[in-house]
């Protein structure tokens, strides 16, 4: 008897059921001939035809209540108990619960009964921060609808607009929902006006809810069923599945999150991805209900996980499709155009474009192998990270990683430590530059006329550079209009150019600026929050490259170059930057027995200097009187010794010193 045993949320055993759900649930895929007691629910996945399936995401600006709303849907579906003391259920990572933000999209399959019909709702809870926008972009292509959630106390924010535009491009049906209507500071009428003015929603289609109390949530569930179209899938067609997420398991290899576009997949099937090199036998499949729950078959339109002991990530790439091996053989024997058409008709996941680059090295050189393994596993789960090998005289073998932003870099580093116990050193973040080289011989040496430089130490010699280009972004700022003057001053100080401004309502204004990415990545958002008391929100998108006056700033200790501190900086800010780093070096270098000259230079020109005095022994301490010339003679001899020591002395810069300088 294949039966799903589930204790209802108000039962005393609900806590234990929730905690050990994955080990107590068994989904059945065939009809049941037995009667089901009242405290048990049976699920027959086969009965959920595509017409009774809804795939949707929850999208919103950060901290607008997405995870709370998702938890409330799980509670209404009877999958979890209502416990305000517990953390958000779908925020499963340690870093998410520590920081109170969502950084990884999570999936859950819910079942609701409406009009004597059961519906399978596949929910994807997505992050709200711009640094994790790829999680939204890879989730929307498999969804037919999305909940656009807006905080009733804060209104439409910059990331709300970005998510709306992405959903519009993907032809995703949107259901506008105003959340937190129970909060005292809520201004529902004003937020409703913003949704109408900015996005042209009808007032009648805007739902008002409190995800915290559950008020209005059932009406949103009805809207999901009635307004979001079912997936255009067919059980009778040959199997075609789609990979849209993956993670690594030490025993089972790569486990993939899949959407079944057509047909069905069952345990024992031999499958192959369209761009893969070999076939695999399906070992385990299931759905998230809300934990990993084994089943035997997944049908068209359904979303679940799949394990086939895949070890090579090229055979289960995100954005690729898989079919039965027999189907692949048939397509291969036919005209290649049919296979090409199938690939072209797949949902499109945009390729992430890293904006910030940093070197990552093991805290101990002996841990290089372990760090490489941890990086490969984590990059599999976070495919928006770009990785390539790198090396440093101070840190040894390492990797150069590309991230979508500083928070993304910070969270990635913390996940390495939390999930893989890998202690790392991450160098100062930088952006990529494009350099045009002159001279046929030089172009031949570098392989092409224009190269991309992600590491300042790999910059070609200055005398062969014809042009420097730096990345620019278009920033969107949504703010109360009383802060317009201070925001304009901040953007102009970062070499920004105002493109547009428009009023959202009587109190708030939408600003667009074009700015160099290098001026934004470090502390722009923090400064914006400070000068607007936290009321402004910021989002940005890339705007290509633009020629800039960029210089390479190098740092020397007693004339010896310290490569790890080399940076590419706009010439107008190079003096200020060099002075700040020289001061940090002076404050963090260990004391030396000789004087140390700390210099910042552009080429051969010194633009900043700090001097660290030598440690001195009191050579006159043994004198107890006599002529003053005795003391002068001892001091002169000490001075000569310090001069000789400076000529032959080697300054050992410890790893911890680099960490303090690079990470401040």
């Amino acid at each position: 008897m294949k039966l799903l045993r589930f204790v209802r949320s108000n039962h005393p055993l609900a806590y234990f059921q929730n905690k050990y759900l994955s080990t107590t649930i068994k989904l059945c895929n065939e009809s049941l001939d037995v009667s089901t007691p009242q405290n048990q629910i049976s699920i027959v996945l086969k009965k959920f035809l595509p017409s009774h399936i809804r795939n949707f995401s929850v999208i919103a600006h950060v901290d607008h209540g997405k995870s709370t709303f998702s938890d409330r849907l799980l509670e209404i579906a009877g999958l979890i108990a209502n416990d305000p003391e517990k953390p958000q259920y779908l925020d499963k990572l340690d870093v998410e619960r520590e920081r109170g933000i969502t950084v990884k999209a999570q999936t859950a399959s819910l079942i609701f009964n409406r009009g004597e019909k059961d519906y399978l709702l596949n929910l994807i809870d997505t992050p709200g921060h711009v640094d994790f926008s790829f999680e939204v972009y890879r989730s929307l292509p498999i969804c037919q609808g999305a909940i656009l959630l807006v905080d009733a106390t804060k209104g439409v924010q910059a990331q709300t607009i970005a998510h709306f535009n992405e959903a519009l491009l993907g032809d995703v049906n949107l259901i506008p929902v105003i959340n937190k209507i129970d909060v005292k500071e809520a201004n529902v009428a004003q937020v409703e006006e913003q949704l109408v003015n900015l996005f042209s929603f009808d007032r009648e289609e805007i739902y008002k809810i409190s995800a915290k109390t559950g008020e209005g949530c059932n009406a949103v569930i009805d809207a999901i069923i009635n307004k979001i179209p079912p997936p255009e899938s067919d059980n009778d067609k040959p199997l075609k599945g789609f990979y849209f997420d993956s993670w690594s398991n030490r025993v089972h290899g790569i486990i993939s999150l899949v959407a079944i576009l057509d047909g069905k997949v069952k345990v024992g099937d031999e499958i192959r991805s369209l761009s893969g090199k070999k076939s695999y036998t399906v070992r385990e499949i299931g759905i998230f209900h809300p934990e990993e729950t084994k089943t035997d078959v997944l049908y068209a339109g359904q979303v679940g996980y799949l394990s086939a002991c895949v070890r090579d990530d090229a055979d289960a790439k995100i954005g690729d499709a898989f079919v039965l091996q027999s189907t692949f053989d048939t397509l291969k024997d036919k005209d290649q155009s049919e296979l090409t058409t199938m690939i072209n008709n797949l949902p499109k996941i945009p390729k992430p474009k890293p904006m910030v680059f940093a070197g990552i090295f093991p805290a101990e050189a002996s841990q290089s192998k372990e760090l490489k393994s941890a990086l490969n596993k984590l990059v599999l789960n976070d495919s928006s990270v770009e990785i390539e090998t790198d090396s440093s005289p101070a840190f040894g073998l390492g990797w150069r990683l590309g991230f979508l932003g500083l928070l993304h870099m910070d969270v990635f580093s913390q996940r390495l430590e939390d999930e893989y116990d890998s202690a790392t050193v991450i160098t100062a973040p930088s952006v990529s530059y494009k350099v045009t080289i002159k001279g046929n011989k030089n172009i031949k040496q570098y392989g092409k006329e224009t190269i991309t430089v992600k590491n300042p130490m790999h910059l070609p010699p200055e005398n062969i550079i014809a042009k420097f280009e730096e990345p620019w972004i278009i920033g969107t700022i949504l703010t109360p209009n009383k802060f317009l003057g201070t925001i304009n001053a901040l953007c102009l100080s970062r070499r920004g150019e105002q493109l547009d401004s428009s009023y959202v309502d009587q109190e708030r204004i939408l600003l667009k600026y074009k700015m160099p990415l290098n001026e934004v990545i470090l502390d722009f958002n923090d400064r914006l929050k400070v000068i607007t008391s936290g009321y402004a929100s910021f989002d940005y998108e890339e705007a290509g490259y633009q020629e800039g006056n960029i210089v390479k700033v190098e740092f020397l200790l007693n004339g010896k170059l310290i490569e790890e501190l080399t940076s590419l900086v706009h010439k107008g800010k190079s003096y200020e930057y060099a002075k700040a780093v020289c001061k940090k070096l002076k404050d963090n270098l260990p004391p030396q027995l000789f004087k140390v000259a700390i210099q910042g230079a552009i080429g051969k020109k010194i633009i900043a200097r700090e001097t660290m005095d030598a440690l001195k022994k009191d050579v006159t301490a043994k004198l107890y009187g006599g002529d003053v010339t005795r003391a002068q003679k001892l001091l002169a001899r000490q001075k000569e010794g310090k001069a000789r020591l400076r000529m032959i002395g080697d300054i050992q810069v410890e790893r911890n010193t680099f960490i303090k300088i690079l990470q401040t």
Side-chain angles (χ1 to χ4, degrees):
M1 179 177 68
K2 298 180 178 179
L3 193 64
L4 167 64
R5 299 184 181 275
F6 180 79
V7 182
R8 296 189 183 277
S9 59
N10 58 357
H11 193 279
L13 295 178
Y15 170 77
F16 297 97
Q17 176 71 66
N18 292 332
K19 187 173 181 181
Y20 303 107
L21 198 58
S22 61
T23 60
T24 57
I25 289 182
K26 175 69 177 176
L27 294 183
C28 57
N29 297 284
E30 306 297 337
S31 300
L32 296 177
D33 297 323
V34 296
S35 59
T36 305
Q38 284 188 346
N39 66 337
Q40 297 174 345
I41 302 173
S42 63
I43 299 178
V44 184
L45 286 183
K46 187 176 182 180
K47 75 177 182 180
F48 291 106
L49 300 174
S51 59
H52 287 68
I53 297 173
R54 303 291 184 269
N55 299 320
F56 70 100
S57 295
V58 182
I59 56 177
H61 189 81
V62 64
D63 201 30
H64 278 211
K66 296 179 302 301
S67 297
T68 304
F69 175 68
S70 298
D71 276 13
R72 202 59 55 234
L73 294 184
L74 291 175
E75 181 196 331
I76 295 172
L79 296 181
I80 65 172
N82 183 5
D83 187 351
E85 300 300 320
K86 284 188 176 181
Q88 308 292 359
Y89 189 86
L90 291 180
D91 286 345
K92 299 180 180 180
L93 301 176
D94 290 341
V95 66
E96 292 178 317
R97 297 188 173 184
E98 287 176 17
R99 296 172 181 249
I101 59 172
T102 302
V103 303
K104 183 69 183 172
Q106 299 290 348
T107 304
S109 295
L110 319 173
I111 295 172
F112 294 99
N113 183 276
R114 292 294 187 272
E116 298 183 355
K117 294 180 181 178
D118 286 336
Y119 290 87
L120 179 64
L121 274 57
N122 294 311
L123 155 72
I124 302 179
D125 179 30
T126 64
H129 197 282
V130 62
D131 281 15
F132 307 104
S133 55
F134 179 71
E135 294 292 312
V136 180
Y137 299 158
R138 71 165 178 80
S139 301
L140 285 178
I142 64 148
C143 295
Q144 289 73 49
I147 304 296
L148 185 66
L149 208 64
V150 182
D151 190 331
T153 66
K154 299 176 181 177
V156 172
Q157 301 287 302
Q159 199 63 17
T160 312
I161 299 172
H163 288 334
F164 173 84
N165 291 334
E166 186 65 27
L168 206 62
L169 289 173
D171 197 24
V172 174
N173 288 45
L174 286 173
I175 298 175
V177 177
I178 299 175
N179 188 25
K180 303 186 183 181
I181 61 173
D182 59 313
V183 179
K184 184 179 179 181
E185 295 81 8
N187 192 338
V188 177
Q190 186 182 50
V191 176
E192 186 178 55
E193 191 71 24
Q194 293 170 6
L195 289 171
V196 172
N197 293 339
L198 282 173
F199 307 133
S200 300
F201 288 122
D202 294 331
R203 296 182 188 276
E204 297 74 25
E205 62 180 339
I206 300 174
Y207 293 83
K208 292 95 173 177
I209 69 164
S210 168
K212 183 178 180 180
T213 65
E215 179 185 350
C217 289
N218 273 300
V220 176
I221 295 171
D222 292 338
I224 293 170
I225 293 172
N226 296 326
K227 295 185 177 182
I228 294 178
E232 296 179 357
S233 304
D234 191 341
N235 275 320
D236 297 327
K237 288 185 177 181
L239 168 67
K240 182 169 68 173
F242 183 73
Y243 298 112
F244 68 97
D245 197 8
S246 58
W247 59 94
S248 179
N249 182 282
R250 188 176 62 180
V251 177
H252 301 291
I254 296 173
I255 300 177
S256 299
L257 200 57
V258 299
I260 307 302
L261 304 180
D262 285 311
K264 62 182 179 181
V265 61
K266 62 181 183 296
V267 174
D269 282 345
E270 189 177 1
I271 62 171
R272 177 170 177 166
S273 64
L274 297 183
S275 62
K277 298 179 180 179
K278 58 184 293 188
S279 62
Y280 296 88
T281 301
V282 177
R283 304 292 184 184
E284 182 182 321
I285 54 177
I287 64 173
F288 287 90
H289 191 69
E291 295 294 331
E292 291 182 11
T293 306
K294 292 182 183 180
T295 182
D296 295 326
V297 186
L298 282 177
Y299 295 91
Q302 296 176 3
V303 174
Y305 69 90
L306 181 149
S307 173
C309 291
V310 178
R311 299 292 174 180
D312 186 353
D313 58 355
D315 292 324
K317 291 194 300 186
I318 292 176
D320 197 6
F322 63 91
V323 295
L324 294 174
Q325 178 64 43
S326 57
T327 304
F328 186 86
D329 293 337
T330 303
L331 290 171
K332 192 175 180 181
D333 294 338
K334 290 184 178 180
D335 185 5
Q336 288 292 319
S337 61
E338 190 171 340
L339 184 60
T340 304
T341 302
M342 180 182 287
I343 294 173
N344 292 336
N345 290 337
L346 290 174
K348 298 294 186 294
I349 295 180
K351 186 178 180 181
K353 296 180 180 179
M355 311 287 274
V356 178
F357 296 86
I360 186 167
F361 301 88
E364 300 293 337
S366 59
Q367 298 173 342
S368 180
K369 186 176 180 180
E370 290 79 1
L371 179 58
K372 180 181 179 181
S373 175
L375 282 172
N376 289 335
K377 291 176 181 177
L378 192 52
V379 168
L380 177 68
N381 187 235
D382 187 355
S383 56
S384 61
V385 176
E386 181 182 284
I387 182 170
E388 58 186 41
T389 55
D390 197 4
S391 62
S392 161
F395 300 122
L397 178 65
W399 293 265
R400 195 80 179 171
L401 302 184
F403 302 96
L404 300 183
L406 274 188
L407 180 61
H408 186 202
M409 182 183 82
D410 191 22
V411 166
F412 187 89
S413 176
Q414 186 174 340
R415 287 188 68 187
L416 271 177
E417 187 172 349
D418 291 346
E419 299 173 30
Y420 300 98
D421 198 24
S422 296
T424 60
V425 176
I426 294 188
T427 64
S430 63
V431 301
S432 62
Y433 295 88
K434 286 187 176 180
V435 176
T436 302
I437 299 171
K438 58 186 177 182
N440 293 332
K441 184 179 179 181
N442 299 322
I443 293 172
K444 186 177 180 180
Q445 178 185 350
Y446 285 93
K448 50 186 175 181
E449 185 177 5
T450 301
I451 63 171
T452 300
V453 177
K454 301 174 184 176
N455 188 338
M457 290 189 287
H458 298 161
L459 185 72
E462 185 180 354
N463 61 340
I464 69 169
I465 296 176
K467 185 172 64 173
F468 241 123
E469 293 177 279
E470 61 179 330
W472 283 62
I473 55 100
I474 294 177
T476 302
I477 301 173
L478 203 56
T479 177
N481 52 29
K482 64 181 179 180
F483 298 116
L484 178 59
T486 53
I487 290 176
N488 190 53
L490 173 65
C491 293
L492 291 178
S493 71
R494 303 300 177 98
R495 299 190 283 138
E497 305 168 5
Q498 186 170 346
L499 300 179
D500 190 22
S501 64
S502 58
Y503 280 89
V504 176
D505 52 35
Q506 293 182 347
E507 297 180 1
R508 299 207 301 166
I509 189 170
L510 181 69
L511 304 170
K512 284 188 179 293
Y513 284 88
K514 189 175 182 182
M515 292 183 286
L517 177 61
N518 197 34
E519 300 282 355
V520 172
I521 60 169
L522 289 177
D523 63 345
F524 179 83
N525 198 42
D526 292 338
R527 288 293 307 151
L528 182 67
K529 293 293 183 184
V530 168
I531 65 175
T532 63
S533 302
Y535 284 103
S537 62
F538 176 68
D539 179 45
Y540 62 85
E541 59 186 87
E542 63 172 337
Y545 284 76
Q546 191 169 310
E547 187 172 356
N549 191 3
I550 307 299
V551 294
K552 181 166 74 170
V553 180
E554 299 174 315
F555 295 91
L556 304 96
L557 296 179
N558 281 351
K560 182 180 178 181
L561 177 65
I562 308 299
E563 291 186 348
E564 289 72 26
L565 298 181
T566 301
S567 301
L568 298 177
V569 186
H570 188 268
K571 188 173 183 179
K573 298 198 172 183
S574 58
Y575 293 88
E576 180 184 343
Y577 174 78
K579 186 176 180 180
V581 173
C582 285
K583 189 174 187 311
K584 288 179 188 175
L585 272 169
K586 181 181 179 180
D587 294 339
N588 289 284
L589 277 176
Q592 305 292 325
L593 293 175
F594 48 88
K595 186 182 291 187
V596 178
I598 304 168
Q599 298 170 312
I602 299 176
K604 294 183 179 181
K605 182 180 179 182
I606 304 300
I607 60 173
R609 176 182 172 121
E610 292 282 347
T611 302
M612 191 168 70
D613 292 331
L615 279 177
K616 287 187 178 182
K617 177 183 177 181
D618 187 3
V619 293
T620 63
K622 61 184 179 181
L623 299 180
Y624 51 87
D627 190 68
V628 69
T629 56
R630 294 183 63 193
Q632 291 174 343
K633 187 183 295 184
L634 290 172
L635 290 172
R637 189 181 301 168
Q638 183 187 50
K639 185 176 180 181
E640 291 174 6
K642 294 290 184 185
R644 287 195 302 271
L645 186 61
R646 183 179 180 183
M647 293 174 63
I648 63 173
D650 186 18
I651 305 170
Q652 298 295 327
V653 183
E654 297 179 359
R655 179 186 292 262
N656 288 339
T657 303
F658 281 115
I659 297 171
K660 290 176 183 176
I661 295 168
L662 293 172
Q663 295 187 339
T664 53

